[in-house]
Amino acid sequence: MTGKFEALSVETLPKRLGETTALSERIGKDASRWKVREVGDGNLNLVFIVEGDKGAAVVKQALPYVRLVGDSWPLPLKRSFFEYHALTRQERRAPGSVPAIYHFDETQALIVMEYLAPPHIILRRALIDGRELPKIARDIGLFMARTLFRGSDLSMVTRERKADLALFADNVELCDITENLVFSDPYFDAEMNRHTSPQLDGLVAELRADRDLKVEAQRLKHLFAANAETLLHGDLHSGSIMVTDSETRMIDPEFAFYGPIAFDVGMLLANFWMAFFSQRGHEEKGSRDSMRAYLLKVTAETWAVFRAEFSHLWRTERTGMLYQKSLFENQDDRLGAEQALDHMLSGIWTDLLGFAGIEVHRRILGLAHNADFETIADADLRARCEAKALRFGRHIAVNRRQIHGIDEVNTLAALIEQENRI
Ligand code: SR1
Ligand code: MG
């Protein structure tokens, strides 16, 4: 396809993409027989599943505005360019962890990619359903360690990393969404905010008047904006991951940019903790005790896998200009390298707690809520779950420098979850 950008529709897609060989060779050449469904349920884009005689593929197209809000909020099409380039780098750095890419059309802002057929399901949906997936901690922990290590100056040729940093620095508008929606809006009466009201009104007022919390949120925003450490996924929540019992794939990295390693890890763990706090709202068919225990185990295991793989890469692939081996191993100073690694991991730990706390807040107080809580129909019950998550988020964000291990965080989460107050 060439020419001016035009949004696809179920009706126009076969005609417009019928000549795209990367698609037709894969799913079947007779476009008149293609079956097309629009399945996008995210906040930003169109997503089509196209099935032909031979197979199926996904066509994802950016719209020139935020789908969730409408054309009153313009958003550049170039996010599709960043998503494409992030996916190709993630595939290189963590093979098999993202959908295969078949075709990219920059003008039409569309990516044709592998269809992850059922039983693939969005991870968030699976967690709401109470499914205990056996592989997610390991797969996501490895994905984060590999992409975040290999996209940094610990690994890359610094000239290449700087060129890449310049490329992704143009993803300004999507960073702007995060900068405002995640780090600032939840803490004042921003126009697009909403929360479960009136149940949470008192707590929301308390959080907005909480000076320590606001200062911490801004310190984290500063870190997010100023610490261009690695190529992030940028939006690694449980809605950006597709799973089966045996497979895990990360999708939707359109928010990709160079930022702090701890951001991806913190956002991801926050989504597990939110799933944990929301379980009380999904007990119509029986207790979720086992699911709660599973979710805390997943956070601990994800962090352990991340640490172990990051440490392994540190020892075996540290070829970049940071902490170079000539200063340590090559002088027979392995301990020095280990000391620097400990220092780095403890910095990531402290910061991820901050990012996680803030992510919890924005999903309950800001514009973009998540289905874990939103699908709890009883507003009083939902508010009780959300209030616990908000208190937990505040604690880990503000006290992050005094919290030294994941067990401590999970003990706190379990205690707060047992509390009986709004
Ligand atoms: C207006 S976009 C709102 C949110 O959706 C995306 O998934 C990101 O998380 C963003 O913050
Ligand atoms: Mg997304």
Side-chain angles (χ1 to χ4, degrees):
M1 262 195 309
T2 49
K4 228 170 101 258
F5 171 85
E6 208 181 310
L8 292 162
S9 69
V10 168
E11 292 74 31
T12 61
L13 189 147
K15 189 158 191 305
R16 294 184 62 205
L17 288 180
E19 303 291 304
T20 304
T21 49
L23 178 60
S24 61
E25 280 177 0
R26 199 162 292 273
I27 72 167
K29 290 200 165 57
D30 185 355
S32 69
R33 295 174 56 81
W34 291 359
K35 290 197 189 75
V36 185
R37 280 176 291 146
E38 206 278 312
V39 295
D41 63 352
N43 296 330
L44 301 181
N45 308 298
L46 294 170
V47 182
F48 301 92
I49 295 171
V50 192
E51 290 175 279
D53 292 334
K54 263 173 74 182
V58 161
V59 176
K60 177 172 177 181
Q61 187 179 38
L63 289 165
Y65 53 84
V66 175
R67 184 176 183 171
L68 172 70
V69 175
D71 53 13
S72 61
W73 186 347
L75 198 63
L77 297 170
K78 68 185 176 192
R79 63 187 187 272
S80 179
F81 170 91
F82 297 116
E83 176 164 356
Y84 168 71
H85 284 287
L87 283 165
T88 56
R89 283 152 183 73
Q90 289 167 345
E91 175 57 28
R92 232 174 23 237
R93 291 169 187 159
S97 61
V98 299
I101 301 303
Y102 304 144
H103 176 73
F104 172 56
D105 182 330
E106 189 174 345
T107 313
Q108 296 302 324
L110 70 83
I111 304 172
V112 182
M113 65 183 106
E114 182 182 4
Y115 171 45
L116 300 172
H120 282 93
I121 175 176
I122 291 287
L123 173 58
R124 193 186 302 288
R125 189 67 254 165
L127 300 180
I128 293 168
D129 291 346
R131 281 182 53 192
E132 297 179 21
L133 296 140
K135 281 194 78 233
I136 52 171
R138 183 176 155 72
D139 290 348
I140 305 170
L142 289 178
F143 169 81
M144 293 192 299
R146 289 172 182 169
T147 56
L148 300 174
F149 184 94
R150 290 175 175 154
S152 78
D153 262 331
L154 294 167
S155 165
M156 285 180 79
V157 174
T158 192
R159 173 171 294 282
E160 286 170 16
R161 199 191 80 90
K162 285 183 168 69
D164 217 41
L165 192 148
L167 183 90
F168 282 92
D170 193 29
N171 203 3
V172 180
E173 291 77 5
L174 274 79
C175 286
D176 178 79
I177 289 181
T178 305
E179 286 150 9
N180 288 306
L181 260 53
V182 176
F183 294 102
S184 291
D185 286 8
Y187 305 106
F188 73 102
D189 186 18
E191 202 186 325
M192 290 182 297
N193 283 350
R194 66 187 170 86
H195 63 261
T196 306
S197 180
Q199 292 89 339
L200 292 181
D201 291 356
L203 183 52
V204 172
E206 217 178 277
L207 293 172
R208 288 193 186 143
D210 188 329
R211 186 175 298 143
D212 291 341
L213 176 60
K214 287 188 293 181
V215 169
E216 211 48 60
Q218 291 313 292
R219 291 179 77 178
L220 289 157
K221 183 175 183 176
H222 185 176
L223 196 61
F224 174 84
N227 187 7
E229 206 173 20
T230 192
L231 181 64
L232 298 176
H233 177 287
D235 197 27
L236 192 58
H237 53 77
S238 51
S240 299
I241 300 174
M242 294 199 71
V243 290
T244 65
D245 280 342
S246 57
E247 218 190 32
T248 313
R249 304 281 196 104
M250 304 344 120
I251 61 171
D252 284 0
E254 65 209 309
F255 283 76
F257 86 110
Y258 276 79
I261 290 173
F263 183 76
D264 273 1
V265 190
M267 180 180 277
L268 190 267
L269 293 186
N271 277 265
F272 288 146
W273 281 313
M274 283 188 276
F276 169 81
F277 284 106
S278 72
Q279 292 299 315
R280 197 68 66 182
H282 302 296
E283 292 192 314
E284 313 85 358
K285 293 189 190 143
S287 157
R288 290 287 181 96
D289 283 349
S290 158
M291 189 63 190
R292 272 186 284 275
Y294 161 80
L295 283 162
L296 294 188
K297 199 169 84 193
V298 164
T299 62
E301 203 182 322
T302 305
W303 174 237
V305 170
F306 172 85
R307 280 178 62 104
E309 181 68 2
F310 194 91
S311 303
H312 169 70
L313 298 175
W314 177 279
R315 290 170 194 134
T316 56
E317 288 190 16
R318 212 172 72 253
T319 52
M321 60 99 163
L322 288 181
Y323 305 97
Q324 61 211 67
K325 290 199 168 173
S326 49
L327 299 176
F328 299 106
E329 287 89 339
N330 298 356
Q331 292 181 29
D332 217 13
D333 185 14
R334 284 211 171 67
L335 273 182
E338 291 299 304
Q339 184 179 321
L341 169 63
D342 277 355
H343 191 265
M344 182 136 198
L345 284 171
S346 94
I348 294 172
W349 167 252
T350 303
D351 295 341
L352 83 81
L353 289 177
F355 290 127
I358 298 308
E359 166 71 3
V360 169
H361 285 174
R362 73 97 169 207
R363 293 289 185 188
I364 298 171
L365 306 178
L367 167 73
H369 287 220
N370 63 28
D372 310 60
F373 296 117
E374 293 296 287
T375 52
I376 304 172
D378 176 339
D380 290 337
L381 177 56
R382 181 170 70 246
R384 280 199 296 281
C385 296
E386 290 175 326
K388 290 171 187 175
L390 288 172
R391 284 209 182 83
F392 170 79
R394 192 265 174 205
H395 184 92
I396 61 172
V398 171
N399 300 302
R400 63 199 173 98
R401 291 171 199 81
Q402 285 77 49
I403 301 175
H404 299 296
I406 192 102
D407 292 344
E408 190 181 334
V409 183
N410 283 337
T411 301
L412 175 83
L415 284 172
I416 294 179
E417 209 286 321
Q418 294 294 328
E419 279 180 354
N420 225 345
R421 63 175 173 141
I422 262 267

